[in-house]
Amino acid sequence: MTIDKDMQSQGERLSQLRRDQGMTAQQLAQAMTKAGAKVSRGAISNWERGTNGIVSSKLPTLARILGCSEGYLLRGDNQVTSTSQPFSTSNQDDSKGSITMENNQDTISNPHDSVSHDNGNNVTLAVPMDTQPQTEAAASKSSAATKDGKPVSKLKKSDKLQNVCYDIRGPLLKMANKMEAEGHRIVKLNVGNPAPFGFEAPHEILRDVAMNLPEAIGYSDSQGIFSARKAVLQYYQSKGLLSAVDVRDVYLGNGVSELIVMTMQALMDDGDEVLIPMPDYPLWTAAANLAGGTAVHYRCNEDDNWHPDIEDIKSKITSKTKGIVVINPNNPTGSLYSDEILKQIVEVAVEHDLIIMADEIYDRVLYDGMSHTPMCTLSDDVLILSYNGLSKSHRIAGFRAGWMMVSGRKHHANDFIEGLDMLASMRLCSNVPGQYAIQTAMGGYQSMKALTAETGRLYKQRELTISRLNAIKGISCTMPQGAFYCFPKMDPEVYPVEDDMQFMMDLLLEEKVLMVQGTGFNWDKPDHFRVVFLPNLHDLEEAMDSLDRFFAKKRQQYGTD
């Protein structure tokens, strides 16, 4: 993985300054957003790792909050700090990460210094004129390559992507791929893709898709073929769908991922907010930020089997809130929500006129005889978008066969639905061969049940993973009731980790095991990680042995053994 050395140095300075201020990356992101320079926790992390350079428009606010000069952050010039105390953090409510600004008198260190203010607060930063950063264009040209003796400007990605973070396929995976190319064998516990681990797709699906290939060579209706949409509708009707819905309310997509992005583009204006669980499947947060909105994370309680905290949801609703995302069964925790919790979320949505976006992709990957309740069966007093697909339940992730159904109170949402129709038409249609898998999958034998039964492979792999993790000193993990993930906690008294992404990088480099850190799922502390238990029992045993060794070495390093 290649990282620009200048950006890496910027990241090291930024990380040190943030720690000196006693702030987490989440608190720094909240402080900047409150000061008018909206940025996500993921963007801060990317800056600190050197994955991205610091955005020039955010630089003044960032420097002001950290009490340094812009030149120091960019180039390591002599650090000139503000004589004021820019920010202090309040630890009264870690979930909200409240930040307060101190008002102080203006201070000018010499006549050549420039002074900046922030919305009427008397916060002053003394920055010598000769340390002011070059304009972005000039900086790009000065460091760019040349062609025929003329400077060639660097082509940079859009600033809209600075708030987008997807660590599941981020720096750790790039390093793992590099190591594999060098001949190392990597045990991958990072991605929920069943196929590489020997999970076969049902043969009747493969046969039916193959038989329909001659019918799938052209575009379909922008929302999808009729037979597949009808099968989706009938699936929810069999579950107890309350609303009057027809095939026009079903949209087929290139997996749920495309439909999530499409929803956020249709729903959110700049500054709008959407409530997303913490931890989350990070595509939800990334899609909200990419659409110009703000992802506001509500807490899920580990002590309550990772159920959503209803009071925390209520406390985070504002006039800008457009909807609530519910991931059930949950990725990354594997939690299955009770009907009581789901009904309380519905009540909140009805009271505040919010859309419910129900990500239910793991609804057929259940253990211990549990059953799943679709949110569309609980109320028709609120607009509900139900997301699902075949990637996990039928092990055909590469077919990109997903769907979204609109149900509930729709009369006030005609304009929004028109936006969905427009976006569906713009992408022409989803993968047509994959659409032909849906009718067969929804009506045929549900082979996933055999895999999650007590005698099934997934059940045994879950049992092994949880028991081995809980046997490691300082590691605790709740038992997942759905999906094929768990989200273990590292006791901070035993493992005082400051950078969980680096911690996982150490694991990869030392033990050749690839996992994703908890902050990659927008968890607000560096004390969790996600484990995917798709590998077979032999590979899982090997991975758990590696974790035993790694955590033992870390305890010795921290002096907590």
Side-chain angles (χ1 to χ4, degrees), residues 38 262-276 284 287-289 291-295 320-323 357 416:
K38 177 185 170 186
M262 196 168 83
T263 300
M264 292 300 176
Q265 295 290 337
L267 178 66
M268 306 195 76
D269 288 321
D270 289 354
D272 285 344
E273 298 175 353
V274 62
L275 297 175
I276 297 175
W284 280 103
N289 290 336
T294 299
K320 297 179 180 179
T321 308
K322 301 295 286 289
M357 289 159 274
F416 166 65

Side-chain angles (χ1 to χ4, degrees), residues 277-278 298-302 304-313 324-328 330 335-338 341-342 344-345:
M278 178 178 67
Y298 65 84
R299 185 169 292 277
C300 295
N301 292 326
E302 187 168 14
D304 186 26
N305 200 28
W306 289 110
H307 277 163
D309 186 327
I310 301 299
E311 294 305 314
D312 194 49
I313 291 175
I324 304 174
V325 174
V326 180
I327 305 175
N328 178 42
N330 185 263
S335 174
L336 178 68
Y337 300 162
S338 67
I341 287 289
L342 296 176
Q344 290 182 55
I345 294 174

Side-chain angles (χ1 to χ4, degrees), residues 420-495:
L420 291 176
D421 292 341
M422 183 184 303
L423 291 170
S425 297
M426 287 172 61
R427 53 91 201 245
L428 299 181
C429 65
S430 67
N431 171 41
V432 181
Q435 295 182 38
Y436 279 99
I438 294 175
Q439 184 178 28
T440 300
M442 302 310 288
Y445 170 66
Q446 301 301 306
S447 55
M448 178 54 70
K449 291 182 179 179
L451 293 168
T452 57
E454 287 191 21
T455 56
R457 175 181 164 182
L458 277 175
Y459 183 95
K460 293 176 180 178
Q461 289 167 192
R462 179 190 70 149
E463 296 298 301
L464 169 68
T465 302
I466 303 306
S467 63
R468 288 292 303 271
L469 287 169
N470 282 326
I472 300 174
K473 180 180 178 180
I475 302 294
S476 59
C477 188
T478 61
M479 179 65 75
Q481 296 175 312
F484 23 73
Y485 313 107
C486 58
F487 201 58
K489 179 179 182 179
M490 300 179 287
D491 184 344
E493 296 296 322
V494 181
Y495 307 101

Side-chain angles (χ1 to χ4, degrees), residues 37 59 64 74 243 272:
L59 184 62
R64 189 160 59 246
L74 284 180
S243 302
D272 285 344

